Amino acid sequence: MKQLSITLLSAAILPLAIVQAQTCSAKYGQCGGVGWTGPTCCPAGWTCQQQGNNIYYSQCLPGTGSSSSSSSQTSTTTRSSSSTTSSSASTTLTSTTSTSTSPTSTPSSGTGNDRNPYLGAQFYATPYYASEITTSINSFKAAGDSADAAKAAQVQSVGTAIWIDVAAKIPNITTYLDDALALQKSTGQIQAVTFVVYDLPDRDCAAAASNGEFTVANDGLTHYKAYIDGFHAAFAAHPDNRIICIIEPDSLGNLVTNLNVPKCSAAANTYKAGIAYAIQQLQFPNVALYLDAAHAGWLGWPANLQPAATLFSQVLQSAAPATIRGFSTNVANYNAFHAATPDPITQGSSTPDEESYIAALTPHLQALNVPANFVTDTGRNGVQGIRQAWGDWCNVKGAGFGVRPTTNTGVANVDAFLWVKPGGESDGTSNSSAARYDFHCGQSDAAQPAPEAGTWFDAYFQALVKNANPSL
Ligand code: BGC
């Protein structure tokens, strides 16, 4: 265990205990920012710090804090003892764990890409996300809304992915894996810990909101390889964890359709080399990799399917014999997995939802011998019919939490529904003078005012809770 003391509290008790004991904001809780009416002080040893140049959000962070940024995520000192349980638990691994108090995640043979990594495991719920949610529980309570406060508390036990979106968060990998391992030992249940690998040079090349720290011009590939080496070292030291990586959301999608954007064409070779390096370096018996395949409204169009499969195949060939488990879709997006009635914005598409997109892409992948297993982000797709255009992706108004993480997908080659984007973390700032302002975040179907990408958006989380479908 490194720098983490764990207090096991029940999911129901944790937020109440924190709220009753404090007059200041909680550790990692919001303590300031435009429109903030809550407490502005922090617990002893913690200080209230603005997140970079984001005037909408200040947060209680450890230490005296001369500066801070959205990259300062670390683990908290308390956690909920429960996490979401996979609904398909009848596997060999589960049988093994049920007789053991120290489950191991390492399969007896093969690689981590050979099997559905979520089977027989719980979806690891992070203490960090739980601490973010505490802010919103307090908001509900301050408004006298105890019913929604209780619903929000339920979300603290839902497993979400962990975004390693800057190199400064590499040490957090070890912290989370240690935490998950301790949980495995104390509960006898395997924890599936999902990371998002997200730091390519000139990241988010066709948009602005999630532009990253490395650039192609400034030797970004070398920096990126060092970042990947950080994952490698942490994974090598954790053979008993069950680990999943979602690799670089939107990146290859941009290379399929956005090469007309100079930043994307200039970054294309770096993206391919960086992703191939990541695949090569993250081959472990207990690690499964999913390459991001964008979503139905992006690569699902007939003209894009074959080029997408070809590009995926090329990247895999350059990483061979290293391989992947499959692909992620709908990451941080809002598409239905199975739309009973297609959303009007999908008109004209033969892939109006993720299920049909996956079905359309699968044969193209299979023809190229590319592994065709999938995970789909259902974190914010509970409500449909809320976007003006299919390309709208920023803090879409009216969204609700979707189906909770599960392996019960109903589709043979869909391993799991995941919450990859932690609902409540912003997609991008609506402040038009911010360096990372993207016009999508200022459109009328985008909730505003919105803080910087990745930082807590209390009002948005509250709406996700109220609009959750299935309800919380
Ligand atoms: C942001 C990341 C953040 C992630 C999860 C992305 O849109 O760019 O900084 O970690 O969302 O909230």
Side-chain angles (χ1 to χ4, degrees):
M1 293 290 301
K2 295 191 181 170
Q3 302 167 350
L4 187 72
S5 76
I6 294 177
T7 308
L8 288 175
L9 296 170
S10 81
I13 291 170
L14 171 64
L16 294 173
I18 289 173
V19 171
Q20 285 165 359
Q22 71 183 7
T23 50
C24 290
S25 290
K27 293 173 179 179
Y28 299 103
Q30 186 171 2
C31 52
V34 174
W36 173 246
T37 54
T40 53
C41 60
C42 294
W46 294 60
T47 50
C48 188
Q49 300 174 48
Q50 184 174 303
Q51 298 295 287
N53 59 6
N54 172 19
I55 58 166
Y56 295 99
Y57 195 82
S58 296
Q59 186 181 27
C60 289
L61 292 171
T64 52
S66 50
S67 66
S68 73
S69 74
S70 61
S71 66
S72 55
Q73 173 180 333
T74 56
S75 276
T76 54
T77 53
T78 57
R79 69 158 11 271
S80 153
S81 61
S82 65
S83 24
T84 316
T85 307
S86 152
S87 61
S88 298
S90 57
T91 66
T92 314
L93 283 168
T94 301
S95 315
T96 307
T97 57
S98 64
T99 57
S100 166
T101 52
S102 298
T104 172
S105 194
T106 310
S108 52
S109 65
T111 82
N113 294 312
D114 288 347
R115 57 191 63 73
N116 180 348
Y118 293 101
L119 280 178
Q122 292 187 316
F123 296 87
Y124 175 67
T126 76
Y128 180 76
Y129 187 48
S131 72
E132 290 181 309
I133 291 172
T134 298
T135 302
S136 299
I137 292 173
N138 290 343
S139 299
F140 277 133
K141 286 186 175 169
D145 186 351
S146 56
D148 283 324
K151 289 179 182 177
Q154 286 179 40
V155 184
Q156 292 181 306
S157 334
V158 177
T160 55
I162 300 159
W163 291 62
I164 307 298
D165 58 338
V166 284
K169 288 185 184 171
I170 288 289
N172 295 359
I173 299 171
T174 294
T175 307
Y176 285 120
L177 291 177
D178 285 348
D179 183 33
L181 200 54
L183 262 184
Q184 285 186 178
K185 287 183 176 152
S186 65
T187 65
Q189 293 290 309
I190 290 174
Q191 296 288 318
V193 185
T194 304
F195 294 101
V196 180
V197 178
Y198 193 54
D199 208 11
L200 276 173
D202 288 333
R203 189 177 73 193
D204 206 19
C205 62
S210 286
N211 285 184
E213 61 184 345
F214 301 144
T215 61
V216 173
N218 194 17
D219 205 10
L221 187 57
T222 302
H223 295 301
Y224 186 72
K225 286 184 174 177
Y227 159 88
I228 295 297
D229 292 346
F231 279 89
H232 178 95
F235 292 176
H238 290 86
D240 292 336
N241 281 93
R242 182 85 63 92
I243 301 169
I244 297 93
C245 290
I246 309 283
I247 299 180
E248 297 294 348
D250 291 357
S251 57
L252 295 182
N254 273 318
L255 301 194
V256 175
T257 66
N258 290 324
L259 288 177
N260 59 323
V261 177
K263 190 174 172 187
C264 292
S265 55
N269 287 339
T270 304
Y271 277 20
K272 290 186 227 176
I275 291 170
Y277 186 78
I279 293 169
Q280 286 171 330
Q281 295 304 309
L282 304 182
Q283 299 288 307
F284 291 94
N286 58 324
V287 177
L289 307 179
Y290 295 90
L291 202 49
D292 191 64
H295 62 85
W298 188 342
L299 300 182
W301 300 95
N304 295 339
L305 289 166
Q306 182 64 50
T310 301
L311 178 62
F312 298 149
S313 169
Q314 282 169 356
V315 171
L316 279 177
Q317 276 168 27
S318 67
T323 190
I324 58 172
R325 169 68 188 166
F327 295 87
S328 55
T329 79
N330 205 39
V331 167
N333 213 282
Y334 298 83
N335 296 339
F337 181 75
H338 177 85
T341 310
D343 189 318
I345 56 172
T346 69
Q347 195 180 2
S349 171
S350 53
T351 60
D353 56 26
E354 296 303 300
E355 184 179 17
S356 53
Y357 167 47
I358 288 168
L361 181 60
T362 293
H364 291 280
L365 297 173
Q366 288 171 335
L368 296 167
N369 282 322
V370 172
N373 303 295
F374 291 85
V375 289
T376 294
D377 190 350
T378 60
R380 304 187 300 181
N381 70 355
V383 182
Q384 296 297 302
I386 53 177
R387 288 170 285 182
Q388 287 162 1
W390 209 352
D392 293 353
W393 50 264
C394 193
N395 301 319
V396 177
K397 265 190 216 164
F401 285 119
V403 172
R404 263 53 103 199
T406 179
T407 52
N408 189 15
T409 67
V411 179
N413 67 331
V414 178
D415 287 346
F417 297 148
L418 304 177
W419 284 17
V420 181
K421 174 83 183 179
E425 293 184 4
S426 176
D427 293 319
T429 178
S430 60
N431 176 356
S432 59
S433 58
R436 298 200 304 170
Y437 173 71
D438 187 290
F439 75 93
H440 290 97
C441 304
Q443 293 189 148
S444 59
D445 60 358
Q448 300 166 47
E452 279 284 350
T455 59
W456 195 245
F457 190 175
D458 182 19
Y460 198 76
F461 174 86
Q462 292 185 38
L464 288 170
V465 168
K466 289 175 192 275
N467 299 331
N469 177 26
S471 62
L472 288 158

